[in-house]
Amino acid sequence: MLTTHPFQDDKLREECGVFGVWDIETAAAVAALGLHALQHRGQEAAGITSFDGAGFHSHRAMGHVAGNFDKDEIIRALAGRSAIGHVRYSTTGASALRNVQPLFAELATGGFAVAHNGNISNAMRLRRELNARGSIFQSTSDTEVIIHLVATSGYRSLLDRFIDALKHVEGAYSLVCLTEEGMIACRDPLGIRPLVMGKLGEATIFASETVALDVIGATYVRSVAPGELIVVSERGVESHRPFAPARPRPCIFEHVYFSRPDSIVDGASVYTVRKAIGAELARESGVEADLVVPVPDSGVPAALGYAQESGIPFELGIIRSHYVGRTFIQPGDQVRHLGVKLKHNANSALIKGKRLILVDDSIVRGTTSLKIVQMMREAGATEVHMRIASPPTRHSCFYGVDTPERTKLLAARMDVAAMNQYIGADSLAFVSIDGLYRALGEPGRDLHGDVAGDVHAPSHCDACFSGDYPTALTDHDDSEQRGQLIPIERYA
Ligand code: SF4
């Protein structure tokens, strides 16, 4: 099988998207539309659970939202005026159907379904403890520990049990839960993964990104605040703050790559931030050239920002085919030598004889950059200068993003000069970490005001660049002690 995503396979991948809708006709159909807009956050599996006042209904399947939720009989079977949904890659747990969310359990307090974006960084430790106390797990997903913690909590009400459960959990979680009483949406105390709230008539919506509100014509109300827990029920909308205040550390990579450019993340337009990163790059590492060329599609806004700041013309020097599926069965061994370029191709008539600035969002393994530079040279470019709209990715993510282990990250293995040599460019430069924060409207990483007494904590999680992980990494540290993992170089 030939993968036809040569540029996407060498990216960090967001692992999940969540959606919830409370109090609307055919809630499952609305959830399916919302999930469709979040498909870029997870393409391996999708699921929806609804509640119709009498019982819960669930459909979970491997594959895309379209194809699984475009059939009338499936939507009709998901009866009710409330529903939650999930799209996923596998962060933890194998990609078996039993791990596809929403997960559901009948608890002493009634039915409970949960959809989770993020990763619980002490899930293995909690699982061992729960197993020792008699819990029997149905999946290998980290999310299931939340259900068992709720089930075994000593508190009486479901809400108190849920809050008690979350107080045992470390890491990143944006959760949307469906119960017989109402819907609960919650973001971890640092707000690492995004979650927004919207309104559609009388209905309340929760989603990982605002694009899921746009697609159903809902109005964006606000982001769920880090550490906030919102309950929507017949009593209305209640906001709770069950955790000790902490300086929020939302994922900065949402702005670089994960979120769709038409989304608003924590109040900032992703498209505007990406253009500002490109302008920072142009100021920090300008070079004489004839054209600014984006690596499509994710490099486009930053390349526009670079071109506008530098005055160098923006051109589409790489053309992407939009008619290629995720994978393609290679039509026989005899074409293996052709170096098939189904997804992206050089716009040779434009590139020939030109000095290019190629703009991409990140370098992960580096295999993609190497291929693109080679493609540009074969198309007749006289110079190829690579500019990257994020700092070097040197560390793995433990918060719900699929990163290769550190040894596979090009920037963890070599410095920028060696990386340049590896990819075969004339020059290579990354935006600085301060430049990235400036693009978000801040003076720099460590130069903002005092919040919660933590003067030096940056305003975002940027651990994949800095190694400064904002939470404990209990499972990683446990594995490290057993000699199973290479150590993390923590940020000094
Ligand atoms: Fe985002 Fe990187 Fe932090 Fe993971 S480590 S949450 S990708 S900034």
Side-chain angles (χ1 to χ4, degrees):
M1 187 173 285
L2 172 70
T3 297
T4 56
H5 269 218
F7 296 180
Q8 265 64 44
D9 283 352
D10 193 16
K11 299 286 185 198
L12 301 190
R13 288 192 315 193
E14 175 63 65
E15 295 292 351
C16 298
V18 296
F19 187 88
V21 54
W22 171 263
D23 195 17
I24 200 167
E25 196 95 349
T26 57
V30 175
L33 286 170
L35 290 181
H36 197 270
L38 298 174
Q39 189 76 81
H40 60 289
R41 298 182 74 86
Q43 295 161 21
E44 193 178 79
I48 293 176
T49 298
S50 68
F51 180 65
D52 63 2
F56 289 83
H57 310 279
S58 197
H59 183 74
R60 303 178 299 159
M62 305 306 291
H64 289 190
V65 179
N68 280 312
F69 291 96
D70 55 354
K71 297 171 189 70
D72 275 351
E73 63 271 22
I74 287 175
I75 295 296
R76 265 201 305 274
L78 292 166
R81 293 182 64 85
S82 55
I84 62 172
H86 191 264
V87 288
R88 86 187 292 257
Y89 287 113
S90 54
T91 323
T92 53
S95 52
L97 194 54
R98 65 189 174 137
N99 286 333
V100 177
Q101 298 189 23
L103 298 183
F104 175 79
E106 288 285 359
L107 306 178
T109 46
F112 180 75
V114 58
H116 172 206
N117 176 203
N119 187 53
I120 297 169
S121 57
N122 64 340
M124 296 305 293
R125 171 88 67 93
L126 289 170
R127 193 182 173 100
R128 281 196 297 275
E129 292 168 4
L130 285 158
N131 270 330
R133 281 159 41 199
S135 292
I136 299 168
F137 281 76
Q138 303 293 321
S139 75
T140 55
S141 160
D142 61 324
T143 309
E144 196 182 346
V145 299
I146 294 174
I147 291 179
H148 287 276
L149 287 168
V150 173
T152 55
S153 169
Y155 286 87
R156 279 174 71 94
S157 78
L158 177 66
L159 186 59
D160 287 341
R161 284 168 174 251
F162 184 60
I163 291 169
D164 181 43
L166 295 183
K167 288 188 174 170
H168 290 84
V169 161
E170 294 166 1
Y173 51 87
S174 282
L175 301 166
V176 183
C177 309
L178 186 57
T179 77
E180 293 170 16
E181 303 281 306
M183 186 167 287
I184 307 171
C186 181
R187 215 168 155 199
D188 66 72
L190 304 183
I192 295 175
R193 303 255 69 87
L195 190 63
V196 296
M197 183 163 80
K199 267 297 201 196
L200 180 60
E202 292 305 306
T204 303
I205 319 283
F206 296 101
S208 294
E209 289 184 41
T210 57
V211 286
L213 305 179
D214 297 341
V215 78
I216 56 169
T219 314
Y220 169 62
V221 174
R222 63 180 176 87
S223 278
V224 177
E228 184 180 16
L229 186 154
I230 298 176
V231 181
V232 191
S233 68
E234 283 176 356
R235 293 189 303 277
V237 177
E238 299 161 16
S239 170
H240 301 259
R241 300 285 186 140
F243 307 108
R247 180 170 181 80
R249 301 284 298 274
C251 168
I252 208 164
F253 225 115
E254 291 286 347
H255 297 281
V256 171
Y257 176 68
F258 301 140
S259 291
R260 263 178 45 170
D262 43 344
S263 276
I264 309 288
V265 173
D266 288 321
S269 151
V270 173
Y271 180 78
T272 304
V273 171
R274 284 185 192 162
K275 276 186 73 180
I277 299 173
E280 284 290 338
L281 254 179
R283 284 192 288 274
E284 287 185 350
S285 50
V287 60
E288 271 191 32
D290 302 308
L291 300 176
V292 176
V293 170
V295 177
D297 289 328
S298 52
V300 171
L304 266 172
Y306 193 111
Q308 287 173 5
E309 180 65 22
S310 65
I312 299 169
F314 170 96
E315 292 286 0
L316 297 177
I318 301 170
I319 303 300
R320 177 181 164 190
S321 166
H322 290 269
Y323 304 102
V324 180
R326 181 162 166 73
T327 55
F328 179 80
I329 306 299
Q330 193 164 324
D333 276 353
Q334 63 272 30
V335 299
R336 228 180 258 285
H337 65 281
L338 292 178
V340 180
K341 300 182 190 84
L342 286 171
K343 187 90 183 174
H344 297 87
N345 194 25
N347 186 356
S348 307
L350 178 84
I351 287 168
K352 199 168 183 327
K354 300 288 196 321
R355 298 167 300 169
L356 306 183
I357 297 169
L358 279 183
V359 181
D360 202 356
D361 58 88
S362 56
I363 292 183
V364 179
R365 290 180 179 84
T367 48
T368 299
S369 308
L370 188 147
K371 281 184 205 152
I372 302 169
V373 171
Q374 191 183 355
M375 187 192 285
M376 296 296 99
R377 293 211 192 279
E378 285 169 5
T382 55
E383 292 176 23
V384 183
H385 302 276
M386 196 80 176
R387 294 294 178 266
I388 305 298
S390 59
T393 305
R394 294 200 169 100
H395 304 269
S396 301
C397 177
F398 297 94
Y399 302 126
V401 170
D402 181 31
T403 12
E405 57 189 60
R406 274 203 80 205
T407 50
K408 304 244 170 62
L409 295 171
L410 195 66
R413 292 168 32 213
M414 51 183 86
D415 63 16
V416 174
M419 289 173 82
N420 184 40
Q421 206 168 16
Y422 174 83
I423 67 171
D426 292 282
S427 73
L428 168 67
F430 294 78
V431 76
S432 68
I433 200 143
D434 278 340
L436 183 55
Y437 277 84
R438 281 195 297 273
L440 283 160
E442 297 182 22
R445 183 181 191 269
D446 300 314
L447 300 174
H448 43 69
D450 180 17
V451 175
D454 194 355
V455 188
H456 299 295
S459 63
H460 285 73
C461 174
D462 53 23
C464 45
F465 311 128
S466 66
D468 175 16
Y469 293 93
T471 73
L473 300 176
T474 298
D475 289 342
H476 181 278
D477 292 347
D478 285 352
S479 314
E480 203 174 83
Q481 270 177 11
R482 291 198 297 270
Q484 292 171 348
L485 289 175
I486 56 166
I488 299 166
E489 276 172 34
R490 295 192 195 271
Y491 186 78

